[in-house]
Amino acid sequence: METLLKPSVPRITLSLKSHLLLHSNSHLRTLNPFTISCKLRTSQDGNISKKIMLSEVAPPPLSENDSPAKPPRRRTTMLQRFPKRVLTVLSNLTLAIGEMFTIAALMALGTFIEQGEALDFYMQKYPEDNPVLGFFTWKWILTLGFDHMFSSPVFLGMLILLATSLMACTYTTQIPIVKVARRWTFLNSSETIRKQEFAESLPRASVKDLGVILMGAGYEVFMKGPALYAFKGLAGRFAPIGVHFAMLLIMAGGTLSAEGSFKGSVTVPQGLNFVVGDVLGPNGFLSKPTEAFNTEVHVNKFYMDYYDSGEVSQFHTDLSLYDIDGKEILRKTISVNDPLRFGGITIYQTDWSISALQVLKDGEGPFNLAMAPLQLNGGDKKLFGTFLPIDDPDSAQVKGISMLARDLQSVVLYDQEGKFAGVRRPNSKLPIDINGKKIEVLDAIGSSGLDLKTDPGVPVVYAGFGALMLTTCISLLSHSQIWALQDGSTVFIGGKTNRAKPEFTSEVNRLLDRVPEIVEASSNSATSGG
């Protein structure tokens, strides 16, 4: 149908194709498809031709008076609004940053305050008569649990609060963003496309050619009639959720380590043994013993390596593990930074000492003389000593031979008057005469200092850090979207991205340069005739 209007008013034609439903006598009937041609003509712009695609889905049924029914309003109570308000507060970025700074400050304080010491230590180090910063004393440390910082209620409470904030942010912000990003939206208006961050138009081009080029550049392309939608880098939208999940794993693993682990230490002379469960003690309410706690550990041998200067460079312990039936299940020589692991339990080599000297006196013995650590003035040097009585031990004044050793290499001997008598190496078979007594040093028996630990949270923490590194890298991917619309022989292109915007503009321009230009057939014929 054409309608002629005044010259100053454009003539309008519509082009629509659809199936319409009419309501008559409570019956629905379908009209045949119909087409309305449309042209828009003005004296200045010439002819403009447009296609309008209408959905063929039937409209919802109307009421008897042909007016749509209005849904009833739901009144929201304070109780219903309360969870939303709580989620809004918890997902606040400023609050989350404050929580992370508080946790970092508590961790720093935990490295400053000595952990796991006895009460007397804190009373002497942080006395009430000389408080740190004018108020901080041992009572603050014990009341707040800062002597075990990483399992204290304050620290664990901050972890729980941060975890809650991360989950609230994921639920209220990140998941809705992903849902929006996954929608395939088509823009059917060139004006809307021109409003995008990047906008361009290609005269004498085909939207199908553009789609092929975008697919070659790694875009997912969808077409609906003259409209095109393409995207890539959707994984970058999922990355923040992955980062939040990784942080939750790390905090869960840390909590499990603090409240579910066992620790213990023991010093065992060479040739003796111990049961793992007798050494390990629980750290928290999540600590649960396992069957490996029944394992018996035997110290087969303890020995040291030395520098050329004579200083100790490394020490080793040959260990054998036996099950409850007395069968050897594992044997390994451990050293510093080379522990033994079995059944979730780790045995570390951490220290050493000298437990006893074996000596002969005038061919009698051997006598096992217990060695005791001696206090030195300053330095971290070790010194051990023992005493061999040569008079009646029941007398009021017992005299004897003193023996000192810094390590397992040599023993220094002193007579009854405390004068230097000589030096002997263990097992050298060279006796020394002191105060009429022949003394021979057979052996110096070392003791191995071992730390035992179970930490079920370590695999969880490692998995969390691995996921954090992976998702952080994925978050660097740009989520880029491109829309295009074929309007006659012109293709309108628009796009946007969430990061690397200059690179996105350059990339799209390079792709548009590859779109072939459509040459009209009449122009080709004229060129051929000429």
Side-chain angles (χ1 to χ4, degrees), residues 46-65:
N47 292 337
I48 299 176
S49 175
K50 293 187 178 181
K51 274 186 186 174
I52 303 174
M53 302 293 297
L54 295 183
S55 173
E56 297 185 358
V57 179
L62 303 178
S63 60
E64 292 186 358
N65 56 359

Side-chain angles (χ1 to χ4, degrees), residues 109-158:
L109 189 60
T111 60
F112 175 76
I113 300 175
E114 295 81 0
Q115 300 292 294
E117 299 291 343
L119 174 61
D120 293 339
F121 174 85
Y122 295 108
M123 294 180 68
Q124 294 178 3
K125 188 72 179 290
Y126 306 95
E128 292 185 89
D129 56 354
N130 186 22
V132 179
L133 300 178
F135 71 95
F136 195 76
T137 65
W138 62 271
K139 290 185 176 180
W140 283 90
I141 296 176
L142 297 184
T143 302
L144 297 176
F146 286 175
D147 56 332
H148 295 84
M149 173 64 76
F150 303 104
S151 59
S152 65
V154 176
F155 187 80
L156 294 179
M158 289 306 304

Side-chain angles (χ1 to χ4, degrees), residues 149 165 245 291 356 452 454 463 489:
M149 173 64 76
S165 293
F245 177 73
E291 293 183 1
L452 283 75
T454 68
S489 62

Side-chain angles (χ1 to χ4, degrees), residues 21-191:
L21 297 175
L22 298 182
H23 179 271
S24 175
N25 297 328
S26 301
H27 294 285
L28 294 176
R29 55 192 180 90
T30 305
L31 294 182
N32 292 328
F34 66 96
T35 304
I36 302 177
S37 299
C38 171
K39 288 186 180 180
L40 182 64
R41 182 177 300 164
T42 64
S43 57
Q44 297 177 352
D45 301 334
N47 292 337
I48 299 176
S49 175
K50 293 187 178 181
K51 274 186 186 174
I52 303 174
M53 302 293 297
L54 295 183
S55 173
E56 297 185 358
V57 179
L62 303 178
S63 60
E64 292 186 358
N65 56 359
D66 293 340
S67 60
K70 295 182 179 179
R73 291 186 178 180
R74 292 184 179 180
R75 294 183 178 179
T76 57
T77 63
M78 281 295 290
L79 187 61
Q80 291 174 330
R81 290 195 298 266
F82 179 74
K84 293 183 178 180
R85 292 184 178 181
V86 172
L87 288 175
T88 302
V89 172
L90 289 174
S91 60
N92 184 270
L93 179 61
T94 304
L95 175 63
I97 293 175
E99 293 165 355
M100 288 189 285
F101 271 108
T102 303
I103 292 174
L106 291 174
M107 294 174 66
L109 189 60
T111 60
F112 175 76
I113 300 175
E114 295 81 0
Q115 300 292 294
E117 299 291 343
L119 174 61
D120 293 339
F121 174 85
Y122 295 108
M123 294 180 68
Q124 294 178 3
K125 188 72 179 290
Y126 306 95
E128 292 185 89
D129 56 354
N130 186 22
V132 179
L133 300 178
F135 71 95
F136 195 76
T137 65
W138 62 271
K139 290 185 176 180
W140 283 90
I141 296 176
L142 297 184
T143 302
L144 297 176
F146 286 175
D147 56 332
H148 295 84
M149 173 64 76
F150 303 104
S151 59
S152 65
V154 176
F155 187 80
L156 294 179
M158 289 306 304
L159 287 183
I160 294 173
L161 184 58
L162 178 58
T164 306
S165 293
L166 289 174
M167 289 187 288
C169 179
T170 302
Y171 178 75
T172 60
T173 304
Q174 300 302 332
I175 292 179
I177 289 177
V178 171
K179 288 182 178 179
V180 171
R182 293 183 63 187
R183 293 174 185 168
W184 301 346
T185 56
F186 295 90
L187 301 182
N188 295 315
S189 169
S190 60
E191 294 298 329

